[in-house]
Amino acid sequence: DLIALLSHQSWLLAAMQVRRLVRAVRPWQQALCTTSAASVNGAKSFGLSAVLISGCFGAAAHSWVQCDGEQRLPGKRQKAVIIFEPEEPEEQFAAAPAKTGPKATLNTSLPKPVVLPLHSTALLCIDFQKDFLDEGGFGHALGNDVTKLTAECIPGAVTVLEAARAAPLAAIVHTKEAHRADLRDCCEMKHSGPRCPPEGKRIGEVMVEGMGKLLVDGSPGNEFVDAAKPMKGEIVVCKPGKGAFFMTGLHEMLREKGISHLIVCGVTTEVCVQTTMREANDRGYECILVEDATASYIPKFKAAVIEMTRSQGGIVGYTVERAEEVAAALTSAQ
């Protein structure tokens, strides 16, 4: 009985059990629909709720109904899954913007001007590391021309960093994609799946002497480029994925510091930068992407991300064209 099993586990262990059992025990999915209301209510006591979904996992939101032994979607084949319902959903979101302190206004940001409450604003620098900006790194292993990225985004990043260090921001955060030496935080699909580079160019392998193991924390090539190195007191987040919120404590740290707004720069625009901004957007952070402080190996991908970010009223966030505009706003904040 899955409910009985889960009720004796910690929520984290329960999550792992659910992932394994949903894949392995398909008959349970249909059986769960007949679970009594009492059992379902018991499941909620440890942060889970049983729900129904019609069709595949990508069905429309209106297809979801609570599985209480009574509600059904007539004429549809029912599938039951379990989703997690945090006991304190508010803790999943960004902190509220600071009500006091200096504010910087970006009048040229799109799709509209944005006001940055500096005491709840952080600068987020994503993956300015040799593995993506230098020859012999992981970006090079993927077949990209890495020589243009530094000229395209590092001057802008330096401009924003210098202004942020002089302003009373809540935090300056640097991320780097960095796996453990034993690669336990690198899934098989990412390491050696069918879309991966050939042997000799994979994560954890040495492609060029002097760069060390690709995307492994502590390797020379995994370090930050000199121009964008963190300074003492700035926060470094090692992330094993594209998004900075995956398997890191970034969200908890930002909440603890009362951060609501993120000035974002980094590489590459369409991969780690965009993924992180979308993760942040779901969590309620206001993101401002600095266009000349981000870069892509494929220019049209960068242009597409910028357009997507600010489209539909700013569905992902704001964009500002030049780092100098951000620096000027931070300097003149009142």
Side-chain angles (χ1 to χ4, degrees), residues 95-122 169 259-263 284-288 317-320 325-326 329-330 332-334:
K99 295 181 179 180
T100 59
K103 293 178 171 59
T105 301
L106 289 170
N107 290 310
T108 58
S109 61
L110 294 174
K112 61 185 72 174
V114 59
V115 176
L116 304 176
L118 298 194
H119 287 173
S120 61
T121 297
L169 293 189
I259 291 168
S260 58
H261 289 62
L262 298 172
I263 302 169
Y285 295 96
E286 290 282 18
C287 294
I288 301 90
Y318 300 86
T319 64
V320 61
E325 299 169 40
V326 178
L330 294 178
S332 62
Q334 297 181 350

Side-chain angles (χ1 to χ4, degrees), residues 22-216:
V22 166
R23 289 195 299 264
V25 191
R26 293 300 180 188
W28 162 78
Q29 288 185 301
Q30 295 179 353
L32 186 62
C33 288
T34 62
T35 303
S36 66
S39 295
V40 174
N41 290 335
K44 283 187 176 181
S45 68
F46 54 84
L48 296 175
S49 68
V51 296
L52 285 174
I53 183 170
S54 170
C56 67
F57 280 59
H62 65 262
S63 296
W64 294 82
V65 296
Q66 183 170 323
C67 182
D68 57 5
E70 297 295 334
Q71 299 181 32
R72 294 290 185 270
L73 293 179
K76 299 282 188 179
R77 179 183 178 187
Q78 308 300 326
K79 288 188 179 180
V81 297
I82 285 183
I83 61 172
F84 292 96
E85 185 179 88
E87 293 183 4
E88 301 294 338
E90 296 82 3
E91 294 182 2
Q92 306 302 311
F93 299 126
K99 295 181 179 180
T100 59
K103 293 178 171 59
T105 301
L106 289 170
N107 290 310
T108 58
S109 61
L110 294 174
K112 61 185 72 174
V114 59
V115 176
L116 304 176
L118 298 194
H119 287 173
S120 61
T121 297
L123 173 63
L124 182 57
C125 301
I126 299 174
D127 297 3
F128 285 127
Q129 57 196 97
K130 297 176 182 179
D131 259 324
F132 296 121
L133 292 166
D134 287 0
E135 291 186 348
F138 188 67
H140 190 196
L142 294 175
N144 297 299
D145 179 0
V146 301
T147 59
K148 298 178 181 179
L149 260 65
T150 297
E152 182 179 348
C153 67
I154 291 300
V158 170
T159 297
V160 176
L161 266 169
E162 290 176 349
R165 286 164 176 162
L169 293 189
I172 297 176
V173 183
H174 304 258
T175 76
K176 63 175 180 175
E177 189 167 347
H179 290 280
R180 296 165 39 142
D182 60 11
L183 299 184
R184 287 179 60 196
D185 57 356
C186 183
C187 66
E188 182 180 352
M189 177 274 293
K190 183 178 181 182
H191 177 263
S192 52
R195 295 176 287 109
C196 292
E199 291 187 18
K201 296 183 178 182
R202 293 176 176 172
I203 295 171
E205 298 177 342
V206 177
M207 187 176 77
V208 174
E209 292 297 330
M211 292 290 278
K213 295 180 179 180
L214 295 170
L215 285 187
V216 170

